[in-house]
Amino acid sequence: MITGTPSDKDDRENHQIETAGRWLAEAASVVVFTGAGVSTESGIPDFRGPQGIWKKIDPSIFEFDRYVRDPEVRKFAWKMRLDHPGFSAEPNSSHHAIAEIEKLTEFEALITQNIDGLHHEAGSDPSKILEIHGTMKEVKCLRCRRRWPTQEILARVVAGEEDPACSDCGGILKTATISFGEQLEQHVLARCQEAAVRSDAFVVAGSSLVVYPAAALPEVAVETGAKLIIVNLEETPLDHKADLVLRGKTGEVLPRLAEVVRGA
Ligand code: NAD
C-alpha cells in the first residue's frame, strides 16, 4: 500500500484552501459562523476542546434555572467573571482574518456563539455581528431588562456585593449571555436563520457544532444550497455534510484563506 508523503498532505491542504478561498471570493452571500475555538489562541479556553472548561468545572453551574434559584451559584458566577480571561484578551489572527474576509467578499453576517466581544475588537462591522449567545461585556436585569457595562457591576462585586441586585427594581443580575436552558433572543435567532438561508458560502470556524439551536444554522445553509466549509481541530457531527473540512488551527487556516481571497 502506498501512503501519502508529507508533501502530498501539504499539496492537498493548499489545494483545499485555494478552492475554499475561490468559493468565498465568488459567493454572492458569505456567512461566517464562529465558536469558542477561534478564541482559544487568545487565551480563552473553549468548553469541549482538549483544554476545555468541561475538563475542570461541572457544566451544570451554567444552567439558567440553577442561576436563578441558587444565590451560591450566582456568587460563584460573579467570582468567575472577575477572573475571566475575556476581559483582558486580544483578538488573534483568526478574528483579524475574518474581519478581512468580510471586507473582501459579499459578506452577509458574522454569526458568533462567542460572548467575548473579540470580533468587535478586531474591527468586524458591528451591524453584521450576530451574537447568538449574547455578550459578557454587558449585564442584564432578569426582571426589568435594564443593561449596564459589565465592568460597572464587577466594581460592585469587588466592593463586597457578592450577588449584586438591580439598583432599579431589585431583580437578579446576570451577564447578558445565554445560559443552558435560557431562551435565545428571538430577533437575533431570526436574523441568523435569514442569513443562513441567504448564504451561498457558509464557513464554520472553531465550533464543536453540538450546541443547538446554533448548530442547526449550518444545516439550514446546506439545505438551502450553500457550500459548507468547516475549519476545526477536531471532527464535528456535520463534517459529512461539508463540501470541505479544513483540519487545523483557525489562527493558521483562516489567514491563509484570507490571503487566497485577497489574491482572487
Ligand atoms: P466548544 O468548546 O463546544 O467547541 C470548540 C471547538 O473548537 C472544539 O471542537 C475544538 O476542538 C475546536 N478548537 C479549539 N481551539 C481551536 C483552534 N485554535 N482552531 C480550530 N479549532 C479549535 O465551543 P462551541 O462550539 O463554541 O460551543 C460552546 C459554547 O460555549 C458556545 O455557546 C459559546 O457561547 C460558549 N463559549 C464561548 C467562549 C468565548 O466566548 N470565547 C468560550 C467558551 C465557551
Side-chain angles (χ1 to χ4, degrees):
M1 189 172 81
I2 299 169
T3 54
T5 62
S7 82
D8 289 339
K9 186 172 167 273
D10 290 349
D11 286 351
R12 198 176 57 242
E13 260 178 32
N14 287 338
H15 178 68
Q16 286 181 324
I17 289 177
E18 292 215 350
T19 304
R22 223 182 31 252
W23 288 345
L24 295 185
E26 289 167 1
S29 172
V30 172
V31 169
V32 175
F33 171 95
T34 63
V38 297
S39 292
T40 55
E41 292 166 75
S42 292
I44 305 175
D46 59 9
F47 278 165
R48 298 177 186 77
Q51 313 295 326
I53 296 171
W54 283 178
K55 305 260 187 315
K56 297 169 201 135
I57 292 178
D58 171 7
S60 71
I61 67 139
F62 292 96
E63 284 168 13
F64 183 66
D65 283 357
R66 285 198 63 192
Y67 187 91
V68 172
R69 234 185 314 122
D70 187 349
E72 294 308 315
V73 169
R74 297 200 289 275
K75 289 177 193 170
F76 181 75
W78 288 117
K79 260 199 209 120
M80 266 185 31
R81 287 294 181 221
L82 279 181
D83 297 332
H84 198 292
F87 291 113
S88 52
E90 302 276 345
N92 65 54
S93 51
S94 318
H95 303 97
H96 291 301
I98 291 167
E100 187 178 2
I101 288 170
E102 180 182 313
K103 290 179 183 71
L104 296 169
T105 60
E106 297 296 329
F107 200 80
E108 180 77 31
L110 168 50
I111 302 172
T112 186
Q113 299 170 92
N114 295 345
I115 58 171
D116 55 34
L118 291 182
H119 288 301
H120 288 87
E121 287 182 34
S124 278
D125 177 352
S127 70
K128 296 204 169 149
I129 302 175
L130 303 174
E131 293 175 306
I132 190 168
H133 293 158
T135 173
M136 60 183 271
K137 302 284 167 85
E138 286 184 347
V139 165
K140 62 189 175 191
C141 171
L142 295 183
R143 190 189 291 158
C144 73
R145 312 313 287 182
R146 186 176 160 190
R147 284 187 175 233
W148 292 263
T150 301
Q151 293 303 345
E152 274 185 36
I153 305 302
L154 287 182
R156 289 172 55 188
V157 178
V158 170
E161 288 183 68
E162 286 182 290
D163 176 21
C166 175
S167 50
D168 282 5
C169 75
I172 291 173
L173 296 186
K174 180 179 174 297
T175 48
T177 52
I178 307 293
S179 301
F180 292 109
E182 186 175 0
Q183 269 274 4
L184 270 66
E185 300 279 352
Q186 291 307 302
H187 66 281
V188 178
L189 180 59
R191 280 187 65 197
C192 293
Q193 282 161 339
E194 283 161 22
V197 169
R198 264 204 298 272
S199 70
D200 51 15
F202 192 105
V203 182
V204 171
S207 176
S208 62
L209 293 177
V210 296
V211 178
Y212 279 79
L217 294 166
E219 297 186 61
V220 168
V222 169
E223 278 156 22
T224 52
K227 287 212 183 323
L228 176 63
I229 301 157
I230 296 181
V231 186
N232 207 52
L233 273 181
E234 299 176 298
E235 247 179 71
T236 82
L238 279 195
D239 284 3
H240 69 285
K241 289 200 180 171
D243 295 276
L244 263 179
V245 176
L246 302 169
R247 187 77 64 230
K249 289 190 169 179
T250 56
E252 290 165 10
V253 176
L254 294 175
R256 287 172 67 195
L257 205 52
E259 197 184 320
V260 175
V261 179
R262 205 184 309 131

